[in-house]
Amino acid sequence: MYPFQDDVYAARNQWYIAAFSRDVGREKLLERWILEEPIVFYRTVAGNAVALEGRCAHRHFPLSKSNLQGDNIQCNYHGFTYNAAGACVHIPAQEKIPAACRIKAYSLVERWNWLWIWMGDPVLADESLIPDHKEIGLTDPAYISNVVVYNEVACRHQLLHDNLLDLTHISVLHSATIGNGSDSVASTPETHEEGDNWAASTRIIRNYPCPEVFTSFLGYRGNIDRTITLKFLMPGLHCGMDEFRRPSVGDQPGELLGRLAIYHGVTPGRRHTTHYHFAIARDFAKNEATTEVFNHAMGAVIEEDKVCLTTLEEMLTGLGDRRPREVLAMSDSHQTRARRIFEKLIKNDQAAVRSVPIVPVTN
Ligand code: FES
Ligand SMILES: [Fe+2]
């Protein structure tokens, strides 16, 4: 699927951000489609988050439209009832419960303010593969971190990755917000680093006017040196670090004004929808009032991306097979290399998933 080969969609044996913790509770069952599978989320009486297949094994009724009974969920059609492990524990019309009457239960791990879900073979669900939250700054005491916004974006997940792998769009798409109405980001060359399952870009913009949106938060108005790094931890988290300094003098870096860490959680939904979890952390102006103003400002930026990508998906869907080849620019180097690593990771995963033998149900 564009921008990859037609049969390349998403890696399954991976952890993805499924939801913010605050969105999963007992008052309302939450349904999310992830990698084209319907999933229902809730919490047990003890408060543990649960992720079950979101359709009843009987006639496929959506379990998100059903009812919690203690830690169990009762289908709202004919009453089949499942426990938090996905086993059917009650069928109103009969005593015996067929062994095949169960639904999938997913491994779910709550870290910081979000829930990570394992979409592949449960045997391979190794929690140590989840990015280290202290290392990426989310639980670093030097920062104040907070949830900003969740959006379901009507585009394939690859388009959001593409967006984050090419920050030259800040100068144009976000010119009215974080772009500062200048081409400073777009015209500054970036450096590229990569590994087997990650790719990072860094650009240092020297001695340019501090974007208006940051001046009050930083308590500084004037020119800055700004280092922007964005590291894509495949398959679903982009971690950014924005560092603001007074302009350097000779070889001496200028005084540090503040650091802003930015997190984009990208999870495939259906083929043409994507779950976008956005969070930030900062080591300056660590008070609630600033968080509120900041979240509002950042929410507006995310909205600009959302509108752009929804429109782009409509264009791609409309063109279908008639889509001409894309034209690449010099600035696409990082994105192109990251795409290559990502596509390889997905292809390897899809090949591994295909090679697992299917065991027939015997009862
Ligand atoms: S569809 Fe769920 S009990 Fe029949
Ligand atoms: Fe953007």
Side-chain angles (χ1 to χ4, degrees):
M1 182 174 206
Y2 172 85
F4 301 145
Q5 290 171 0
D6 283 352
D7 60 342
V8 177
Y9 169 53
R12 191 154 286 276
N13 283 310
Q14 297 285 344
W15 292 100
Y16 290 94
I17 295 164
F20 284 126
S21 297
R22 67 183 184 189
D23 294 331
V24 175
R26 288 190 59 78
E27 308 72 39
K28 198 172 174 301
L29 292 157
L30 175 73
E31 182 185 77
R32 291 250 158 104
W33 285 70
I34 298 180
L35 271 74
E36 301 188 288
E37 294 182 12
I39 302 175
V40 62
F41 296 88
Y42 65 95
R43 285 185 191 272
T44 61
V45 173
N48 298 318
V50 175
L52 294 177
E53 192 173 352
R55 47 127 229 136
C56 180
H58 182 221
R59 294 280 186 255
H60 314 299
F61 187 80
L63 292 178
S64 61
K65 306 277 189 296
S66 299
N67 304 303
L68 275 185
Q69 291 187 338
D71 288 352
N72 298 339
I73 188 164
Q74 184 189 47
C75 176
N76 212 15
Y77 197 0
H78 312 100
F80 283 37
T81 304
Y82 305 89
N83 67 17
C88 181
V89 293
H90 179 63
I91 298 176
Q94 65 187 63
E95 290 266 307
K96 183 165 167 26
I97 297 171
C101 188
R102 57 174 308 119
I103 52 175
K104 225 195 252 189
Y106 297 83
S107 298
L108 203 60
V109 176
E110 195 153 14
R111 291 264 165 89
W112 183 65
N113 282 310
W114 46 31
L115 293 154
W116 291 83
I117 191 167
W118 179 264
M119 293 302 296
D121 182 346
V123 174
L124 303 175
D126 176 358
E127 290 185 26
S128 71
L129 299 174
I130 297 172
D132 183 323
H133 283 43
K134 181 144 193 295
E135 200 175 288
I136 62 175
L138 269 173
T139 54
D140 185 332
Y143 291 78
I144 178 174
S145 61
N146 61 282
V147 164
V148 180
V149 67
Y150 161 79
N151 275 296
E152 183 172 19
V153 187
C155 74
R156 65 195 73 182
H157 71 104
Q158 297 91 334
L159 298 187
L160 185 43
H161 292 299
D162 265 7
N163 169 287
L164 295 164
L165 290 167
D166 180 359
L167 295 185
T168 60
H169 80 272
I170 289 177
S171 293
V172 183
L173 183 64
H174 302 306
S175 66
T177 50
I178 51 173
N180 208 23
S182 82
D183 68 351
S184 309
V185 176
S187 61
T188 304
E190 62 190 331
T191 56
H192 168 92
E193 290 176 279
E194 64 180 53
D196 288 342
N197 59 356
W198 63 272
S201 83
T202 300
R203 46 167 55 83
I204 304 174
I205 310 165
R206 295 203 185 276
N207 204 7
Y208 89 121
C210 183
E212 188 65 30
V213 69
F214 296 120
T215 52
S216 58
F217 304 133
L218 292 169
Y220 172 83
R221 189 173 289 275
N223 279 14
I224 53 167
D225 284 353
R226 183 178 176 191
T227 304
I228 305 175
T229 301
L230 195 51
K231 186 171 186 178
F232 179 16
L233 303 172
M234 298 171 193
L237 183 63
H238 297 251
C239 298
M241 178 57 77
D242 227 344
E243 187 181 274
F244 304 89
R245 289 181 178 274
R246 287 176 189 264
S248 56
V249 180
D251 290 344
Q252 285 301 310
E255 179 198 344
L256 180 67
L257 296 165
R259 286 173 298 194
L260 180 67
I262 302 167
Y263 308 90
H264 308 263
V266 180
T267 302
R270 295 179 170 100
R271 282 273 155 161
H272 298 98
T273 65
T274 300
H275 304 289
Y276 188 3
H277 295 87
F278 183 64
I280 50 179
R282 63 183 191 279
D283 69 353
F284 55 92
K286 294 196 276 183
N287 58 73
E288 281 305 311
T290 301
T291 295
E292 205 170 306
V293 180
F294 214 86
N295 285 5
H296 184 71
M298 293 297 114
V301 178
I302 297 300
E303 189 62 25
E304 290 171 335
D305 287 308
K306 183 181 168 186
V307 170
C308 165
L309 297 177
T310 303
T311 312
L312 176 52
E313 181 61 60
E314 283 169 8
M315 175 61 79
L316 291 170
T317 307
L319 289 169
D321 294 343
R322 294 172 296 110
R323 173 179 48 78
R325 276 180 93 83
E326 58 189 12
V327 175
L328 296 177
M330 300 257 289
S331 58
D332 290 317
S333 167
H334 167 65
Q335 187 195 61
T336 306
R337 291 158 85 179
R339 267 186 185 178
R340 209 174 295 138
I341 300 166
F342 192 31
E343 182 168 24
K344 189 171 161 203
L345 181 142
I346 297 171
K347 274 182 171 173
N348 288 344
D349 176 273
Q350 289 187 170
V353 169
R354 270 196 296 270
S355 69
V356 175
I358 296 167
V359 181
V361 176
T362 50
N363 69 314

